[in-house]
Amino acid sequence: MRFTYDDLEKRYSEMTASVICQCEAATPLVGGVTASEAGIRAFVTHHLGITDEAEAQKTYDRIMAEEMGEKPVPSETGELNERLSYGINQIRRTALGPYLGNWMIHANLKTAMSRLGMFSEMKGTKGNVAEGGIVLPSGISQRDDRPDCIYLMAPDGTPATTYYEEFKGRVQSPRGSTSIIHHSECVPSGTRFTYEFKFLKGKLKESDIKDLLALSMIVGIGSVKSLGHGKFRILDAEILEYRGGGSFAWDPGGGYRRRPVAHRPYRGGFPGASSCVHQH
């Protein structure tokens, strides 16, 4: 007996259920990827506003030579008892625009489930979700054939605009105190994205899915979550059950029976609202 990719894809879909979530950033989403050369040059041009080619090159050279990385900070007495770490972070992107890695959403969902005690109280759930589950782009966020790119979109349907913001912090280590400063690329609140979460059937009930989605909005995604960034609202969520036909990756509407879970926008206080996902 021989199997084709389509045979195995169909079989996986028969073993799984999924939920498609349409989301909106409630607070800015902050990138945490160390900027590449192209990213730093974009920071010089767009954030610092330096468009002259020669001046931009001088600024880039200065940033790389004098600012990036960790450096000692002399105190008033001349002692080097503190260090300063500076960096520039960016959001992942392709030529089509900025995106969230599908593993970021997967990690968000696993954290929510862990906090709810699902992994410890429901034997087998962790494997069904972590190893047997997958997150895929859907709807507005599915702009190419890459399954790992969940594209970030503006409310008008165009790729999300980004900007840089400065963040400061301090950590203690055996080497002493370190001040951390970084400029990080962000997308504003109101940015939209849609994903599909597929998982092996048999463990999670609809009430479990509702609970983990509600908590996932509070867990957040991206960097600087400790300062309240990365929160998002799930405006609409649907559980899908496979019944043959279609493709689990790129044709989520074909061959599924749709059961609405949440169809009214979340408009409560944020965070800490008592009802995060509404149901008809």
Side-chain angles (χ1 to χ4, degrees):
M1 181 176 291
R2 301 176 69 178
F3 301 107
T4 66
Y5 171 76
D6 289 340
D7 294 330
L8 298 176
E9 180 185 58
K10 179 181 178 181
R11 182 56 183 149
Y12 177 76
S13 291
E14 291 171 345
M15 294 188 293
T16 58
S18 71
V19 56
I20 292 181
C21 296
Q22 299 178 25
C23 308
E24 175 186 75
T27 59
L29 306 183
V30 183
V33 180
T34 301
S36 62
E37 177 182 343
I40 297 174
R41 292 188 184 278
F43 170 79
V44 171
T45 301
H46 300 293
H47 180 71
L48 301 182
I50 301 174
T51 57
D52 179 77
E53 185 174 341
E55 187 63 28
Q57 181 63 45
K58 290 180 181 178
T59 304
Y60 170 82
D61 292 340
R62 177 181 57 78
I63 290 174
M64 295 301 296
E66 301 177 11
E67 298 185 19
M68 295 293 286
E70 188 175 292
K71 302 181 183 302
V73 178
S75 66
E76 295 180 357
T77 61
E79 297 180 0
L80 301 179
N81 55 4
E82 184 170 342
R83 302 184 70 82
L84 172 65
S85 176
Y86 176 75
I88 298 174
N89 299 325
Q90 62 184 114
I91 294 174
R92 292 175 175 85
R93 66 173 59 243
T94 69
L96 295 175
Y99 71 89
L100 297 173
N102 64 342
W103 62 90
M104 298 170 67
I105 302 292
H106 207 169
N108 164 271
L109 294 169
K110 289 187 290 184
T111 299
M113 295 178 72
S114 177
R115 290 298 86 205
L116 290 168
M118 292 182 179
F119 292 157
S120 58
E121 297 174 9
M122 302 167 63
K123 186 176 180 181
T125 302
K126 185 173 183 180
N128 285 2
V129 170
E131 287 85 22
I134 188 172
V135 174
L136 299 165
S138 181
I140 61 171
S141 294
Q142 183 186 321
R143 305 196 66 211
D144 57 20
D145 289 337
R146 289 187 57 172
D148 57 331
C149 295
I150 299 171
Y151 284 96
L152 296 165
M153 308 299 292
D156 63 2
T158 60
T161 58
T162 65
Y163 64 94
Y164 281 87
E165 186 173 339
E166 183 182 77
F167 298 95
K168 297 180 179 180
R170 183 183 298 274
V171 296
Q172 294 290 336
S173 71
R175 298 175 61 188
S177 177
T178 300
S179 295
I180 300 175
I181 300 176
H182 59 93
H183 280 93
S184 292
E185 189 177 20
C186 309
V187 293
S189 57
T191 296
R192 305 291 181 89
F193 59 95
T194 301
Y195 69 86
E196 179 181 10
F197 171 44
K198 297 185 70 68
F199 51 92
L200 294 176
K201 292 184 289 189
K203 296 292 182 180
L204 296 177
K205 303 185 295 292
E206 286 189 16
S207 59
D208 299 322
I209 295 171
K210 187 174 182 180
D211 289 347
L212 73 90
L213 292 181
L215 185 56
S216 74
M217 299 190 298
I218 309 302
V219 171
I221 49 180
S223 296
V224 201
K225 293 194 292 287
S226 62
L227 298 181
H229 293 286
K231 311 295 185 185
F232 62 95
R233 304 181 182 96
I234 297 177
L235 303 179
D236 184 280
E238 276 188 310
I239 293 178
L240 309 176
E241 285 188 343
Y242 186 81
R243 61 177 185 184
S247 164
F248 79 85
W250 308 124
D251 186 17
Y256 286 90
R257 181 170 72 253
R258 295 174 177 269
R259 292 190 295 165
V261 174
H263 279 287
R264 290 198 295 260
Y266 165 61
R267 303 188 186 281
F270 203 93
S274 59
S275 179
C276 291
V277 176
H278 299 273
Q279 185 172 4
H280 290 306

